[in-house]
Amino acid sequence: MNKNIAVIILAAGKSTRMKSDIPKVLHPICARPMLGYVLDLVYGLKIKNVIAVLGHRHQDVRKQLKPGIKVVIQKRLAGTADAVKMAMPLLKNFKGTVLVLYADNPLLKKETIRKLLYYHIKNNLDATLLTAKVDKPAGYGRILRDKYASIYGIVEDKDADDFQKDIQEINTGIICFNKDKLAYALRAVRPNNLKKEYYLTDTIGILYKKGCLIDSVTIPDINEALGINSRSELAKANSIMQKRVNEELMQSGITIVDPDSTFIGYGVKIGTDTTIYPFTVIESDVKIGKRCFIGPFVHLREGTRLGDNITAGNFLEIVRSSISSGTFLKHLGYIGDSRIGRNVNIGAGTVVANFDGKKKNTTVINDNAFIGCDTVLVAPVKIGKSARTGAGAVVTKNKNVPDGVTVVGVPARIIKKRE
Ligand code: UD1
Ligand code: CA
């Protein structure tokens, strides 16, 4: 089936309503750019023929695309029909179904798109819309149906009259087209609307007048339809996606004591029987082993790797650091750019001073070391196996502590060598 399907992803838009310099599709949802979710759909459906239409700050957006996706640049943002038109020359020799996806629609599920494609192809339709019934349709295009309940067009919110504004069936923005019919309709679209834009949604009225077959699939989960145009919609999408992420983790055997106050990035890997306490923020690119206790009030940032049986928190930040199994970092502290071995005890208030004002430096703490409360480790520095630091010690730059040795004071000096 997928050989005869091409996808056009529209991602050229500026973020006017977001009031942002950053392209809308790069704003993060669960610590991941919004665009990533739409890309997952096409990878998940194994569709090979994919064209992304980029515009506003396209160099930055392009970095998020994987190889194999073709790119066209829409220089002037003249509307969604214009954007699709830009991609059509790349489909010159293609025959089949064109699926249009909007990159600001991150909550759609793969199964829904699969259902839409299946319905479109099975019934040999010319256009199939993914629609949704919503309580508050403001902002969305409304689906217009004739007295036989056939779809005869879409009216955009800005152009709708009072009667049309009451229509609760909306256009999600996702449409499947027969390619030749799409090409025909695009040529006929005119910017006859308040925004003076070429609307993709006008193709539906054009195809209806031509006697084409138009139908719809209605979305099962209302939350899938959310289009992100503003910061509040971004926050709403984040919270819906967070629920999905947390739910999936719980189903895979992780305890999340209070999902509503636990923020975990998309794609974070956590081993079974780990417990996450409230007010924990875990960003993307973090891996946590089995049987760990994380939180409350812990911030795990990018590049954090935790082994098994680790207790981390309360009140702790870890970034770009790997920590091996059995280590305790139970209260207060900052660990950055560090490699910590097995069964290490990190006392309350330990701080790794990884930044010297110019660059970040590395700290290594070897197996079974004991770091006393309130120790400052000024990087780069190494703490040997089974070495100890006294409470309040400041281990200065490059003053590596050999295996089995105890250091105390400011600056730290050796007081005891172990047998
Ligand atoms: C659009 C639909 C509306 C639907 C809603 C669903 C149109 C005319 N309207 O409205 O019926 O209910 O989505 O969320 O299509 N884009 C470009 N180039 C452009 C303009 C837009 O690539 O010139 C991209 C944007 O980056 C975005 C997508 O197309 O990803 C949709 O554009 P947007 O302006 O957000 O459309 P809506 O007003 O939300
Ligand atoms: Ca939108």
Side-chain angles (χ1 to χ4, degrees):
M1 170 168 112
N2 299 359
K3 267 201 182 141
N4 292 324
I5 300 171
V7 177
I8 301 176
I9 300 175
L10 301 193
K14 239 180 140 190
S15 29
T16 321
R17 287 166 278 182
M18 300 276 281
K19 302 204 170 59
S20 173
D21 287 337
I22 304 161
K24 179 163 69 177
V25 297
L26 297 187
H27 279 265
I29 291 173
C30 290
R32 175 195 203 204
M34 198 188 297
L35 179 63
Y37 297 96
V38 175
L39 294 176
D40 273 2
L41 283 180
V42 296
Y43 298 133
L45 293 163
K46 300 201 169 50
I47 299 172
K48 295 275 181 310
N49 200 353
V50 184
I51 304 162
V53 184
L54 310 184
H56 180 57
R57 287 185 54 181
H58 56 88
Q59 296 92 338
D60 300 333
V61 180
R62 194 186 275 254
K63 286 182 202 145
Q64 299 298 322
L65 301 176
K66 285 195 189 149
I69 296 188
K70 287 164 255 171
V71 172
V72 289
I73 308 295
Q74 186 193 18
K75 288 209 182 89
R76 205 172 64 85
L77 302 177
T80 44
D82 180 71
V84 173
K85 216 171 179 176
M86 296 280 152
M88 292 306 274
L90 270 64
L91 297 174
K92 210 171 144 216
N93 300 318
F94 171 83
K95 289 246 172 285
T97 300
V98 176
L99 168 70
V100 179
L101 295 176
Y102 289 180
D104 66 347
N105 232 315
L107 299 173
L108 283 163
K109 291 180 183 160
K110 194 172 71 184
E111 302 74 51
T112 307
I113 302 297
R114 190 177 277 138
K115 228 164 88 184
L116 176 76
L117 283 166
Y118 182 76
Y119 188 81
H120 176 81
I121 293 166
K122 190 184 77 176
N123 295 307
N124 211 359
L125 296 162
D126 295 318
T128 311
L129 311 171
L130 187 67
T131 70
K133 294 234 167 71
V134 297
D135 292 339
K136 291 181 189 151
Y140 292 99
R142 313 293 206 284
I143 305 296
L144 305 175
R145 290 183 183 266
D146 64 17
K147 59 183 174 194
Y148 306 106
S150 301
I151 296 171
Y152 71 88
I154 301 173
V155 60
E156 287 305 303
D157 187 67
K158 279 212 166 93
D159 306 300
D161 60 32
D162 286 350
F163 173 73
Q164 291 167 331
K165 278 204 198 312
D166 284 342
I167 299 173
Q168 286 183 317
E169 189 184 11
I170 61 109
N171 170 33
T172 62
I174 309 307
I175 311 180
C176 288
F177 290 97
N178 166 290
K179 185 224 142 175
D180 293 332
K181 299 285 163 51
L182 172 64
Y184 160 80
L186 286 172
R187 284 193 291 272
V189 173
R190 296 286 172 270
N192 298 331
N193 50 62
L194 282 178
K195 279 174 92 181
K196 301 272 172 286
E197 282 187 1
Y198 293 84
Y199 286 162
L200 183 65
T201 42
D202 284 352
T203 57
I204 300 304
I206 293 164
L207 292 176
Y208 177 83
K209 281 189 194 126
K210 186 124 185 9
C212 292
L213 288 173
I214 303 162
D215 205 343
S216 65
V217 167
T218 304
I219 225 162
D221 171 5
I222 219 72
N223 286 335
E224 275 191 63
L226 191 68
I228 314 305
N229 298 314
S230 65
R231 304 272 179 168
S232 14
E233 281 160 347
L234 182 71
K236 198 168 167 201
N238 196 80
S239 127
I240 295 167
M241 187 57 77
Q242 191 64 75
K243 280 203 176 74
R244 285 192 202 166
V245 167
N246 290 357
E247 194 54 43
E248 208 169 292
L249 288 168
M250 290 188 283
Q251 273 174 26
S252 73
I254 287 114
T255 295
I256 300 179
V257 175
D258 179 26
D260 287 342
S261 66
T262 305
F263 304 91
I264 304 180
Y266 182 94
V268 165
K269 302 262 181 305
I270 306 180
T272 47
D273 283 324
T274 282
T275 299
I276 315 276
Y277 289 103
F279 305 105
T280 293
V281 178
I282 305 177
E283 299 194 13
S284 61
D285 185 26
V286 171
K287 283 191 186 128
I288 301 170
K290 296 177 182 174
R291 299 176 298 279
C292 293
F293 294 95
I294 311 292
F297 297 98
V298 164
H299 188 188
L300 303 181
R301 294 171 50 204
E302 77 281 359
T304 298
R305 302 282 179 269
L306 303 184
D308 300 332
N309 303 308
I310 286 174
T311 298
N314 14 195
F315 302 101
L316 187 69
E317 175 183 346
I318 307 177
V319 63
R320 296 179 303 271
S321 297
S322 65
I323 301 177
S324 300
S325 299
T327 286
F328 277 80
L329 318 82
K330 231 176 144 103
H331 355 246
L332 296 173
Y334 170 67
I335 307 291
D337 302 288
S338 301
R339 247 174 24 243
I340 303 182
R342 291 169 162 268
N343 304 318
V344 170
N345 187 87
I346 306 281
T350 296
V351 167
V352 167
N354 59 330
F355 185 52
D356 60 13
K358 287 198 184 85
K359 61 179 195 324
K360 309 260 167 67
N361 300 300
T362 307
T363 297
V364 178
I365 304 175
N366 284 301
D367 296 352
N368 303 309
F370 184 97
I371 308 299
C373 289
D374 218 8
T375 295
V376 176
L377 301 166
V378 184
V381 73
K382 282 185 191 150
I383 307 294
K385 280 185 192 161
S386 304
R388 298 170 77 91
T389 68
V394 176
V395 184
T396 45
K397 236 179 193 187
N398 294 315
K399 294 282 181 210
N400 297 341
V401 179
D403 291 354
V405 159
T406 301
V407 296
V408 295
V410 182
R413 58 201 189 280
I414 296 173
I415 54 158
K416 194 163 130 196
K417 277 190 188 151
R418 275 211 192 146
E419 306 292 286

